Amino acid sequence: MAVLDWDRLGVRPYGEEAAWTAQVQFRLGGVFDLDRIAAFCAGYRSVIDLSEGASRMP
């Protein structure tokens, strides 16, 4: 099963996608779980360059 977000369909920088995913996954009742977001971002950064301008296309 997959969910396609048609209004955001396109190639975007990794950092933007990571931020969007964290905000969707770690918000409950309008409150962000900042510890989980920090852990998610740290893990993501350990394998992917999230600097400005980094994109999916080499």
Side-chain angles (χ1 to χ4, degrees), residues 13-16 45 48-55:
Y14 281 125
E16 184 178 334
R45 269 194 307 263
I48 299 291
D49 179 14
L50 294 182
S51 62
E52 185 175 350
S55 68

Side-chain angles (χ1 to χ4, degrees), residues 31-52:
V31 176
F32 292 107
D33 185 334
L34 299 180
D35 291 332
R36 283 188 174 185
I37 290 173
F40 173 82
C41 291
Y44 210 99
R45 269 194 307 263
S46 73
V47 294
I48 299 291
D49 179 14
L50 294 182
S51 62
E52 185 175 350

